[in-house]
Amino acid sequence: MRDSVTPNDRRAVLAAAVAAAGLAPRGVVRLGPDDGVEAFADGRPAAAALLVGWRGRIGWDAFAASPERRDGRPDPLDRWSVRVIGAIAAAFGGRAVFPFEGPPHRPFQRWAARAEGLASSPLGLSIDGEVGLWHGFRGAIVTAEDLGGEASPQASPCETCASRPCLSACPAGAFSATGYDVAACRGFLESHAGGLCRTDGCRARDACPVGRRHRYGPEQIRFLMRAFRASLLETTS
Ligand code: B12
Ligand code: SF4
Ligand code: SF4
């Protein structure tokens, strides 16, 4: 008898499990050799990945209510992501990979371009027409089965954004034609003057007019900024 389960059926069931865990199912990538995702232990190649993340405020509440958020141990968000996304992947015979693995890092932004058609903003963050810069990735569920097609490119809101306020909003001048000056950002963030970035989040990200109503809530912003500062101190000191 023919298997009547289609790739899109599989994707829908997987996406429903992700949504039931309080996270946002994102798009799907068809994996190839350039994606660097290892085969399964039994030799089956990694065929596809469903990206999982937050989209606007979707995702935060599930983490905020988790034991990891309150246990006082390091890296609560990463540990929560591993537990929750790993369990969904295992239940579907797959496995999970994460944006915080590496280096070498998994190419989540390149995957987002293929999975959801997202373009890069001048800040280097991927931008979505609806939620703007207010989204991120917590993991990807890798399967040996096809999960359906990738997305067509979305029109980037940046193309019609003449004034590009994101590029001039950083008080440390960290964005220029040559890219993002991580050392300037870190120095400013740790200075007395960096208080607003520390409490209200990155001024450059906040300056974008797209998707304002999806801006993360204050607790989420403060948590992420603390984690970001810790990672900056680790990666650039
Ligand atoms: C290393 C890293 C950093 C470093 C950056 C070092 C540097 N010199 O740029 C630091 C620690 C400074 C950093 C900062 C931030 N990061 Co960061 N970071 C990463 C990480 C872990 C790896 C990126 C990487 O090297 N990938 C490897 C390459 C091979 O993958 P790739 O997808 O092909 O990379 C492409 C894009 O990165 C793109 N790209 C990168 N920079 C730029 C710049 C421009 C102008 C363009 C056009 C494209 C572009 O080109 C690459 C090649 O195709 C990713 C997670 C991940 N695994 O992707 C998060 C990630 C990119 N970061 C993210 C975020 C949100 C941030 C911060 C806002 C802080 C935060 N975590 O809240 C700030 C950004 C500050 C700012 N104002 O822009 C998000 C982005 C989500 C989104 N909307 O796109 C990611 C995806 C993490 C996540 N879990 O969602 N980050
Ligand atoms: S402010 Fe304009 S150029 Fe910058 S990310 Fe937003 S839409 Fe794109
Ligand atoms: S966190 Fe502050 S200093 Fe760093 S890039 Fe954003 S606005 Fe600039």
Side-chain angles (χ1 to χ4, degrees):
M1 202 174 73
R2 274 186 59 216
D3 180 7
S4 59
V5 179
T6 68
N8 283 340
D9 293 339
R10 270 187 225 110
R11 172 199 200 124
V13 174
L14 202 47
V18 168
L23 278 153
R26 314 276 314 243
V28 155
V29 274
R30 283 201 160 114
L31 297 170
D34 291 345
D35 292 303
V37 178
E38 309 77 3
F40 284 83
D42 62 9
R44 288 173 305 154
L50 174 79
L51 307 191
V52 177
W54 23 56
R55 201 174 145 74
R57 296 189 181 195
I58 298 173
W60 172 258
D61 287 351
F63 168 63
S66 71
E68 286 86 355
R69 174 79 172 103
R70 291 183 303 274
D71 67 14
R73 293 171 46 218
D75 305 321
L77 181 57
D78 295 353
R79 287 186 290 111
W80 172 75
S81 305
V82 167
R83 177 173 64 79
V84 172
I85 301 170
I88 300 170
F92 283 84
R95 65 171 205 276
V97 295
F98 299 96
F100 42 83
E101 286 171 330
H105 297 294
R106 306 279 185 185
F108 268 80
Q109 289 181 296
R110 211 189 308 154
W111 288 346
R114 284 157 46 192
E116 297 188 346
L118 301 191
S120 248
S121 69
L123 300 182
L125 302 173
S126 313
I127 186 157
D128 176 272
E130 189 190 344
V131 301
L133 303 174
W134 300 108
H135 67 95
F137 302 94
R138 298 309 332 148
I141 297 173
V142 177
T143 63
E145 295 86 26
D146 189 9
L147 294 174
E150 299 185 347
S152 311
Q154 277 190 28
S156 169
C158 304
E159 281 164 22
T160 51
C161 178
S163 57
R164 306 206 149 193
C166 59
L167 283 177
S168 51
C170 169
F175 295 98
S176 68
T178 54
Y180 170 37
D181 183 342
V182 181
C185 171
R186 182 185 62 164
F188 186 80
L189 265 177
E190 300 310 320
S191 73
H192 180 69
L196 198 58
C197 291
R198 292 195 294 270
T199 55
D200 286 21
C202 175
R203 305 293 74 216
R205 192 181 199 180
D206 222 5
C208 176
V210 182
R212 292 295 302 167
R213 71 190 177 86
H214 299 282
R215 184 181 189 270
Y216 296 161
E219 192 196 345
Q220 183 171 6
I221 293 223
R222 275 195 298 274
F223 175 90
L224 290 174
M225 191 43 91
R226 269 198 304 275
F228 173 49
R229 286 171 62 204
S231 79
L232 273 183
L233 293 173
E234 264 170 35
T235 54
T236 58
S237 56

